[in-house]
Amino acid sequence: QVTLVQSGGGSVQAGGSLRLSCEAFGRTFVNYAIGWFRQAPGREREAVLTIDYNGGHPYHADSVKDRFTISTNNAKNTAYLQMNSLETEDTAVYYCAAERLGNGNKWSHWGQGTQVTVSA
């Protein structure tokens, strides 16, 4: 069983940066895909960035291209979401997720979510 614990987030002005962390307990990210998702008020949850533990199959939403990056430190069992040039439209609850490779986009394991608020 994988437990994901998030940290980071908070409030920032537009143009600022934040980094979110997602630490895995119970096992490592090896052989897993890792994803960052977000859900804004009144909107459906959307995938922001996803990647396999070894860097394969990277995906990013068009809205975060060249601003957000995903990375992993397998030695620390931690994934990161670096968010730069934040915009008010990035305000949302952000979630990390993990799924064993080969299981498709089931995303069986989720972090607790963390609020990111970007003010003008």
Side-chain angles (χ1 to χ4, degrees):
Q1 182 68 15
V2 178
T3 301
L4 303 178
V5 178
Q6 297 178 221
S7 60
S11 299
V12 67
Q13 288 190 320
S17 298
L18 285 173
R19 188 176 80 160
L20 307 182
S21 300
C22 175
E23 186 173 3
F25 293 88
R27 65 155 298 126
T28 69
F29 281 129
V30 174
N31 293 325
Y32 276 74
I34 303 106
W36 286 97
F37 297 75
R38 68 185 180 186
Q39 187 165 21
R43 302 186 65 175
E44 293 187 356
R45 186 172 60 197
E46 64 173 343
V48 177
L49 290 163
T50 65
I51 199 166
D52 292 350
Y53 77 101
N54 57 3
H57 301 104
Y59 163 83
H60 66 267
D62 288 342
S63 59
V64 305
K65 185 178 185 295
D66 297 328
R67 299 189 301 121
F68 291 12
T69 56
I70 186 172
S71 62
T72 60
N73 184 328
N74 290 331
K76 294 184 177 180
N77 300 333
T78 302
Y80 303 95
L81 177 64
Q82 178 67 43
M83 303 181 290
N84 299 326
S85 302
L86 281 160
E87 304 170 351
T88 55
E89 293 78 10
D90 296 319
T91 295
V93 178
Y94 284 72
Y95 300 89
C96 64
E99 180 56 67
R100 181 178 288 275
L101 293 181
N103 280 357
N105 291 326
K106 292 182 181 179
W107 300 107
S108 300
H109 311 286
W110 291 86
Q112 78 275 21
T114 185
Q115 178 70 45
V116 171
T117 303
V118 184
S119 58

